[in-house]
Amino acid sequence: MAARDLSVPDSVVPALAPPAKKPYPFWLGGVAATIAASITHPLDLTKVRLQASGDKRMIESIKKTIRTAGVRGMFDGISGTWMRQMSYSMCRFWAYDESKKLLGAGKDAPAWKLAAAGSMAGGIAGFVGNPGEIVMVRLQGDFAKPPEKRFNYKHCFDALFRMVREEGVSSLARGVGPNVFRAVLMNASQLASYDFFKAELLKTHMFEDNILCHFTASFAAGTVATTVCSPADVLKSRIMNASGPGSNSTIGVIRQSLKADGPMFMFKGWVPAWTRLQPTTILIFLTLEQLKNGVDFSRRHGVTWL
């Protein structure tokens, strides 16, 4: 074996490149989002009912739900929430990671690259997850309607099958435009801003890559996402909750909403939306980071399927 040239200083001997880290399972984001959404479901339910019904105030809407359906009523439509998270959220986290690779958005990527990756992921996930989104919104909003106008779905799969049977396959695309638009805004603001804030916090050397850093970055991301997404979120809920010919027209819903509520209808339900999205965003990223830690721990101990 040839000896190393001792005339070459050790400082210029190229170090062996560390082995590439194995990607995390694609489903981690969906699991993290499902856990978070299950905990905050009552707040999401209240937000949807404020947006799509005549309820005016958050506390009054909660009292109305408990009065008419009991405490269990705060978890109406939970199966729709699970369906939505395991379709839309699983897809968006996977697509975001793949989009970052495509755009070369590494650890210290500029904000515009992260936002572009988030927008790409949102467009894909918004389309893929649209049926689950409709099912979730309808299940959550049903008991806020008069009895004669309710869909009376038993669970998420019953809702999906009945929609296809009673309204045609095209019903699964109801509100897909506003939903994709909202998903683009959500992922560009929530996922991208979390990565951006986390990177900026770590640069200050006041934070380490731990739960405090994750909490602070996700808190900031939740506020940004709520404000950016509110107009599209309101439109999506109103269109998806509507029924009858012509009721899925985005322009028609905007005209009716402007006439009834004025331009501020775009931010109707902002407080419950923030109250719901803020803890949801925090829980999603804290859970996701811990799931990643769990995968790293398992791999170190020989669990190769994670």
Side-chain angles (χ1 to χ4, degrees), residues 160-234:
L160 202 63
F161 297 147
R162 280 183 53 191
M163 281 175 59
V164 174
R165 185 174 66 246
E166 298 169 7
E167 303 175 47
V169 176
S170 62
S171 65
L172 300 179
R174 178 184 288 272
V176 68
N179 190 42
V180 168
F181 180 56
R182 176 192 177 275
V184 169
L185 295 177
M186 173 61 74
N187 287 277
S189 58
Q190 187 191 56
L191 298 186
S193 63
Y194 174 77
D195 278 352
F196 175 78
F197 286 126
K198 179 182 174 181
E200 292 300 309
L201 289 171
L202 291 175
K203 287 178 184 177
T204 65
H205 303 295
M206 296 174 59
F207 290 86
E208 296 180 1
D209 191 0
N210 56 23
I211 196 168
L212 177 60
C213 177
H214 304 157
F215 176 87
T216 306
S218 58
F219 185 92
T223 302
V224 171
T226 303
T227 305
V228 170
C229 296
S230 183
D233 202 23
V234 173

Side-chain angles (χ1 to χ4, degrees), residues 32-168:
T34 300
I35 293 171
S38 298
I39 295 171
T40 60
H41 181 79
L43 295 173
D44 195 31
L45 180 77
T46 303
K47 180 209 69 172
V48 169
R49 291 181 175 177
L50 279 168
Q51 292 175 344
S53 71
D55 295 345
K56 300 297 182 182
R57 298 180 182 277
M58 179 181 173
I59 300 300
E60 291 303 316
S61 181
I62 292 174
K63 287 181 178 178
K64 178 181 175 182
T65 298
I66 295 175
R67 185 171 63 251
T68 57
V71 176
R72 289 182 61 186
M74 296 303 298
F75 290 90
D76 284 341
I78 188 75
S79 65
T81 295
W82 293 337
M83 174 178 280
R84 188 250 189 178
Q85 298 302 337
M86 292 306 291
S87 55
Y88 165 73
S89 288
M90 184 183 293
C91 182
R92 75 184 179 118
F93 278 98
W94 167 80
Y96 181 58
D97 287 338
E98 294 302 313
S99 297
K100 286 195 294 183
K101 294 177 187 175
L102 183 65
L103 295 174
K107 182 179 179 182
D108 296 318
W112 70 266
K113 272 194 176 183
L114 296 173
S119 298
M120 292 167 63
I124 296 169
F127 180 79
V128 171
N130 199 70
E133 193 85 26
I134 300 172
V135 168
M136 180 191 74
V137 169
R138 288 191 174 189
L139 284 170
Q140 289 180 354
D142 217 26
F143 281 96
K145 297 179 178 180
E148 67 276 7
K149 293 185 178 180
R150 293 176 185 171
F151 294 107
N152 293 316
Y153 299 137
K154 297 176 183 177
H155 46 69
C156 62
F157 296 109
D158 180 51
L160 202 63
F161 297 147
R162 280 183 53 191
M163 281 175 59
V164 174
R165 185 174 66 246
E166 298 169 7
E167 303 175 47

Side-chain angles (χ1 to χ4, degrees), residues 267-287:
F267 295 95
K268 188 174 184 182
W270 189 94
V271 171
W274 180 85
T275 307
R276 189 272 310 177
L277 187 59
Q278 191 66 278
T280 299
T281 302
I282 293 170
L283 284 168
I284 285 175
F285 288 113
L286 292 187
T287 303

